Amino acid sequence: MRTSQFPLSTVKETPADAEIASHKLMIRAGLIRKIAAGIYTWLPLGLRVLRKVEQITREEMNKAGALEVLMPALQPAELWQETGRWEKYGPELARMQDRHARDFCLGPTHEEIITDLARNELKSYKQLPITYFQIQTKFRDEIRPRFGVMRSREFVMKDAYSFHLDQESLQETYDLMYQAYSNIFNRFGLKFRAVIADSGSIGGAVSHEFHVLADSGEDAIAFSNASDYAANVEKAEALMPLGQRPEPTQDMSLIDTPNQHSIEEVSQFFSVDAASCLKTLIVKAEDNTLVALLLRGDHELNPIKAEKIAGVLSPLQFASDEEIIVACGCKPGSIGPIGLKMPIIADRSSTLMADFICGANQDGKHYSGTNWLRDLPLPEQIADLRMVIEGDPSPDGNGQITIARGIEVGHIFQLGNKYSEAMNAAIINEAGKNQIMLMGCYGIGISRIVAAAIEQGHDERGIIWPNELAPFQVAICPMNMHKSHRLADTVEKIYGELSDAGIDVLLDDRKVRAGFMFSDMELIGIPHRIVLGDRGLDTDTVEYQGRTDKESQEVAFADIVSFIKSKLS
Amino acid sequence: MRTSQFPLSTVKETPADAEIASHKLMIRAGLIRKIAAGIYTWLPLGLRVLRKVEQITREEMNKAGALEVLMPALQPAELWQETGRWEKYGPELARMQDRHARDFCLGPTHEEIITDLARNELKSYKQLPITYFQIQTKFRDEIRPRFGVMRSREFVMKDAYSFHLDQESLQETYDLMYQAYSNIFNRFGLKFRAVIADSGSIGGAVSHEFHVLADSGEDAIAFSNASDYAANVEKAEALMPLGQRPEPTQDMSLIDTPNQHSIEEVSQFFSVDAASCLKTLIVKAEDNTLVALLLRGDHELNPIKAEKIAGVLSPLQFASDEEIIVACGCKPGSIGPIGLKMPIIADRSSTLMADFICGANQDGKHYSGTNWLRDLPLPEQIADLRMVIEGDPSPDGNGQITIARGIEVGHIFQLGNKYSEAMNAAIINEAGKNQIMLMGCYGIGISRIVAAAIEQGHDERGIIWPNELAPFQVAICPMNMHKSHRLADTVEKIYGELSDAGIDVLLDDRKVRAGFMFSDMELIGIPHRIVLGDRGLDTDTVEYQGRTDKESQEVAFADIVSFIKSKLS
């Protein structure tokens, strides 16, 4: 392609509403244009990237044996009423009425539609397992659309749904999809992690999120530096620390600590690490009484873990100051486990502390030199209550935990019978009896991936695409081609050879100076650049520079195709 | 692909709401399934056809230099208010409000969005001409969706929009698109006509419709048997007949014709052809007086032609019986031009009649043997008032008119400045002044083409796809493959060879009898069928039969690939 036939739409201005790099760069590089809040047009350059994401996804889904269908965006309310989601989904579901006042929504997801299809099309266990997928436009009426196509109201998704006779078959397809997703993200050329995730409101017990790693990511991911283990930080288990509890070396003393409330204040007051202070938090129990949670001072409570403990109220709710004064006899900031009249749950790590400082349940007083067993019994319940931190042992026993930020771009779920039961999607099993099918569902945010790839790959000059997603793989920037027939002929020859080799080439045939071409090609993120001027004609060479290379290098005309091919492979 | 991996969804039952062949066959062959009135899921087999239609269209649009974009389905009301269409469009526009009660519509077309894009992106005449296109899902809230995907509420369209500095440039792109459309429909392998059309409510002066020919088509098309001329029947000109008016041979007589009103009754009464009777119709004039229109008795009034004549009220309105009695002195059925006190407009053909019969403006009386000039003067105004009929001379002077029925699947328009003026889409011209751009727009009904192809190609056994649109080009039906390793090996070899040659093959590896396979493959319309049984192993031949062939023929194993290739080219 030539810029004369494929005009670039690069702009200098960054839109006022663009908060993150990918949003700014997608506008500046001319990939998208805003129509309304959270609603965009994909310009030709952006659409080329979107189509590459689609195509790689489609190929790998086909390879995994999934069948492509195309379901409608308009979904009748009746199907959503069958699963109860018409009432439950809330205002993110874009709803409308047709001219006959019948209710419809614009699908944010297609469980109801596919389950309706499956209950009509699938009759016998012999047709199972089966996986359908589509690449289709979805709608979500975000209260505050932002971050460009990262959180928009209209977007392209790949969604897939599988149907099974039993859990074993569901697990098999789930594993197959896990592998297909890994293949897809590897082909994108993106750094990613498959993380164990909570399944969220959509239901089901087992799920993984696929995250593209990027410093700007909304989610924190804990992963092992020595294995495949990765989990959302909220989900990662903090193991019981190895080793024994140290023996006491100090006596316990009651110390006046006026106005010292937080762990930070108390540890500074005693000139010790936060790790030597015990944190006591009071939360509500299910029966409306109170429960105390103990953590090492440098550890952070993980509310998701706490609220899953039997007896603790879910969602987690902290006791009010008044409730604490009544129950503990002091204000928050001086609470401690000694003499506390309520059930106590200790985080694993806190039980290995020795000579620690804790509140004395008297305002302005703390104990120092406290020791388990000698000064107070170990709490009856010991549990994993805290957020993992860098350096924790990996829960799978291999290596240590590293924490990185990620952008969720894929999600696979084992839905079980949530939708099939509600919609009576049954087949005849081998015994000739009706049997409700099990389901899995598997999503990839196609448009989101374009933004995530930019979050992962960019610098101050613009986008840095991986080879597989780049709108064009190679840019040819000829210097003063319009003034030299000889140069123009050579440029055309090289352009033709690269194109014939199946490489996506953009020839910049604009009458602009080289620096202008370079900054455009860097902004739009073309991974490989070839510069050719009159000087090169004498030596039969071009100047090659990769998007992230510090220096350019000379490549002989004769070697260009094989050189670029080696760079692309 | 194998039927074990790509299960067919053929069904015996025809849905009750399916009125036309394509709708019935799309359900029976398992191409689509209904979700709600006018809303369908495309099953894997149907989607393969849809994607082929998309891909051919995309390739030819790219070849014509159009730039692919992807605009949103959700369109803010503000843009539609700028052009006034928010008020004008009526209930076919699917409207909704977001959670903040802002008005949106689901786009049935994208003039407003693209014009907004153009006014922001295009600054200089140097960027013109430019053509954008997209292949995208559209919505139209049909009052009565029917005919399956032919008139549905959610459907896929290719829409394109071009921007120009002047009419000459618009005409150039229009001609380019006309050619691209011809290429597209030729590649589809469909019989079609590009017909001169009225531009309708969307505006603009020059437009062509592209029709796929099919007996069930909603539109009648008049085309020449000797040239490219084609027009919607309403638009085709009826030329002044060649030759002279015959000399009178009869005297004029006033005849009692009790209860003879219609042309049919009168011509039977006189035992003459309808062509010997003169039809007189009374319509309203613009100033609310009346006008008489004269036609040869066998000719039909074309109201579109009549209402375009200066002075005639548009839309055309017939005089009431009461008005006729007052103005003519008789009831309708006895009106004639002799002595009529109102302006008379005669259709060209009627002026060459001789010895004709006409009403006498007295109830129950007609004149016979009437002749122009001798018995009454020729009307002052002679015009083209009638529908063309088969055998009329073609308006372009080449050949005779044939009439066929067609399904409109494409439409190209010269919009002019209708949208660009309303939305102030201007560029800086060569003189440095602001200038409103001219626009063209070009649509193809992608999903509609699938149905239209079936309307054109089907028989009592099922669909007959052209090679280019068939979901699979070749079906291999092995007889008892599961019982013979030797047969299975040969089948796999042939399947592999054809697939390697880039041919879309469906291998029917189901354990079903041959007749079952055949009827499925005929129903889903695979154009080429290869049958292989044990007998063929002895002679190293397969049985080949084309979908419309009466007999099968033997083809040697060694020749299969080249034989099929020749059938596909």
Side-chain angles (χ1 to χ4, degrees), chain A residues 314-376:
Chain A
S314 173
L316 198 69
Q317 207 177 321
F318 286 92
S320 69
D321 287 5
E322 293 69 34
E323 288 169 320
I324 288 171
I325 291 166
V326 170
C328 308
C330 67
K331 289 186 203 153
S334 302
I335 321 166
I338 296 174
L340 198 59
K341 298 270 184 300
M342 65 180 75
I344 298 178
I345 306 171
D347 178 62
R348 289 165 173 170
S349 300
S350 71
T351 64
L352 287 208
M353 294 167 73
D355 296 334
F356 58 84
I357 293 154
C358 62
N361 296 324
Q362 303 173 43
D363 284 328
K365 290 194 191 291
H366 281 79
Y367 290 113
S368 71
T370 318
N371 281 280
W372 294 113
L373 303 177
R374 186 192 72 182
D375 306 322
L376 76 171

Side-chain angles (χ1 to χ4, degrees), chain A residues 333-565:
Chain A
S334 302
I335 321 166
I338 296 174
L340 198 59
K341 298 270 184 300
M342 65 180 75
I344 298 178
I345 306 171
D347 178 62
R348 289 165 173 170
S349 300
S350 71
T351 64
L352 287 208
M353 294 167 73
D355 296 334
F356 58 84
I357 293 154
C358 62
N361 296 324
Q362 303 173 43
D363 284 328
K365 290 194 191 291
H366 281 79
Y367 290 113
S368 71
T370 318
N371 281 280
W372 294 113
L373 303 177
R374 186 192 72 182
D375 306 322
L376 76 171
L378 271 174
E380 273 184 23
Q381 196 168 356
I382 297 168
D384 175 19
L385 286 179
R386 69 176 174 92
M387 299 289 240
V388 291
I389 54 174
E390 296 240 354
D392 275 343
S394 176
D396 71 344
N398 297 309
Q400 293 185 325
I401 278 182
T402 302
I403 293 180
R405 301 205 71 83
I407 299 163
E408 188 196 331
V409 287
H411 207 155
I412 59 177
F413 289 105
Q414 293 188 24
L415 289 172
N417 64 5
K418 181 180 158 99
Y419 295 91
S420 45
E421 179 91 40
M423 296 182 72
N424 195 26
I427 41 87
I428 307 290
N429 66 18
E430 218 162 345
K433 296 251 168 76
N434 257 335
Q435 183 176 328
I436 295 291
M437 291 181 276
L438 296 180
M439 287 173 64
C441 79
Y442 318 92
I444 288 184
I446 299 288
S447 12
R448 203 161 213 249
I449 281 171
V450 179
I454 297 173
E455 289 297 332
Q456 185 172 98
H458 68 273
D459 61 15
E460 68 292 347
R461 288 173 294 157
I463 301 167
I464 304 170
W465 293 115
N467 288 325
E468 284 274 7
L469 299 187
F472 297 95
Q473 298 165 313
V474 177
I476 301 179
C477 300
M479 296 166 79
N480 297 317
M481 179 172 75
H482 300 277
K483 291 180 188 159
S484 159
H485 279 297
R486 205 170 131 233
L487 182 60
D489 290 346
T490 307
V491 165
E492 290 293 342
K493 188 160 172 286
I494 292 171
Y495 173 67
E497 285 174 2
L498 287 167
S499 301
D500 291 347
I503 297 163
D504 277 339
V505 191
L506 182 62
L507 168 58
D508 199 339
D509 58 356
R510 295 176 293 178
K511 286 184 192 170
V512 295
R513 58 189 172 72
F516 192 89
M517 289 183 189
F518 294 173
S519 64
D520 262 5
M521 295 304 155
E522 285 170 348
L523 176 57
I524 70 174
I526 309 304
H528 308 282
R529 187 181 75 198
I530 288 171
V531 180
L532 185 56
D534 272 329
R535 212 163 49 99
L537 291 182
D538 301 331
T539 55
D540 285 351
T541 58
V542 300
E543 269 183 60
Y544 164 85
Q545 190 164 354
R547 175 66 178 79
T548 54
D549 293 352
K550 292 229 168 61
E551 304 284 339
S552 67
Q553 56 181 299
E554 294 196 341
V555 178
F557 287 171
D559 300 335
I560 291 173
V561 172
S562 60
F563 178 85
I564 293 291
K565 278 193 165 173

Side-chain angles (χ1 to χ4, degrees), chain B residues 256-262 264-266 268-269 333-334 364 366:
Chain B
D256 281 330
T257 52
N259 299 318
Q260 311 302 315
H261 306 295
S262 68
E264 198 186 350
E265 288 164 349
V266 172
Q268 277 184 11
F269 181 87
S334 300
H366 280 79

Side-chain angles (χ1 to χ4, degrees), chain A residues 103-368:
Chain A
D103 285 316
F104 286 85
C105 67
L106 293 174
T109 175
H110 279 71
E111 280 82 5
E112 282 80 1
I113 302 284
I114 199 76
T115 307
D116 180 61
L117 184 77
R119 70 180 166 185
N120 292 323
E121 296 298 313
L122 306 177
K123 313 287 184 197
S124 155
Y125 71 96
K126 291 180 188 165
Q127 294 172 275
L128 302 185
I130 193 165
T131 305
Y132 298 104
F133 81 101
Q134 65 173 347
I135 295 175
Q136 192 253 9
T137 300
K138 300 267 184 290
F139 300 85
R140 193 183 292 144
D141 198 355
E142 294 280 355
I143 187 161
R144 195 186 159 205
R146 59 198 293 208
F147 305 146
V149 298
M150 195 82 92
R151 197 184 298 162
S152 58
R153 297 202 280 182
E154 178 172 343
F155 50 95
V156 181
M157 286 273 295
K158 187 285 296 173
D159 46 331
Y161 308 89
S162 64
F163 294 87
H164 309 273
L165 193 64
D166 52 35
Q167 176 60 32
E168 191 186 342
S169 165
L170 170 55
Q171 187 66 46
E172 252 174 43
T173 296
Y174 186 86
D175 294 343
L176 196 67
M177 285 297 137
Y178 184 100
Q179 190 52 53
Y181 273 44
S182 301
N183 297 346
I184 288 168
F185 288 101
N186 276 322
R187 280 189 60 188
F188 288 158
L190 296 176
K191 290 192 280 288
F192 73 97
R193 292 276 166 176
V195 311
I196 301 162
D198 251 320
S199 60
S201 65
I202 206 163
V206 178
S207 87
H208 282 86
E209 291 172 359
F210 284 76
H211 286 255
V212 166
L213 300 184
D215 293 340
S216 60
E218 286 189 288
D219 295 299
I221 301 159
F223 60 94
S224 166
N225 62 359
S227 75
D228 270 352
Y229 176 84
N232 202 302
V233 155
E234 284 80 29
K235 188 91 178 177
E237 185 181 1
L239 299 179
M240 174 65 85
L242 298 175
Q244 299 289 315
R245 185 184 316 116
E247 290 300 314
T249 64
Q250 303 173 10
D251 292 333
M252 186 168 85
S253 323
L254 184 63
I255 311 284
D256 280 331
T257 52
N259 300 317
Q260 310 302 315
H261 305 296
S262 69
I263 292 289
E264 199 186 351
E265 288 164 349
V266 173
S267 62
Q268 278 183 12
F269 181 86
F270 284 96
S271 297
V272 296
D273 284 347
S276 297
C277 300
L278 184 75
K279 194 189 293 187
T280 307
L281 301 167
I282 312 294
V283 300
K284 300 232 172 135
E286 273 177 346
D287 60 2
N288 214 25
T289 61
L290 300 177
V291 182
L293 307 178
L294 307 184
L295 291 130
R296 215 170 73 185
D298 60 330
H299 284 156
E300 194 188 337
L301 176 71
N302 181 332
I304 292 168
K305 290 178 178 174
E307 69 196 21
K308 281 198 175 148
I309 294 173
V312 175
L313 185 65
S314 173
L316 198 69
Q317 207 177 321
F318 286 92
S320 69
D321 287 5
E322 293 69 34
E323 288 169 320
I324 288 171
I325 291 166
V326 170
C328 308
C330 67
K331 289 186 203 153
S334 302
I335 321 166
I338 296 174
L340 198 59
K341 298 270 184 300
M342 65 180 75
I344 298 178
I345 306 171
D347 178 62
R348 289 165 173 170
S349 300
S350 71
T351 64
L352 287 208
M353 294 167 73
D355 296 334
F356 58 84
I357 293 154
C358 62
N361 296 324
Q362 303 173 43
D363 284 328
K365 290 194 191 291
H366 281 79
Y367 290 113
S368 71

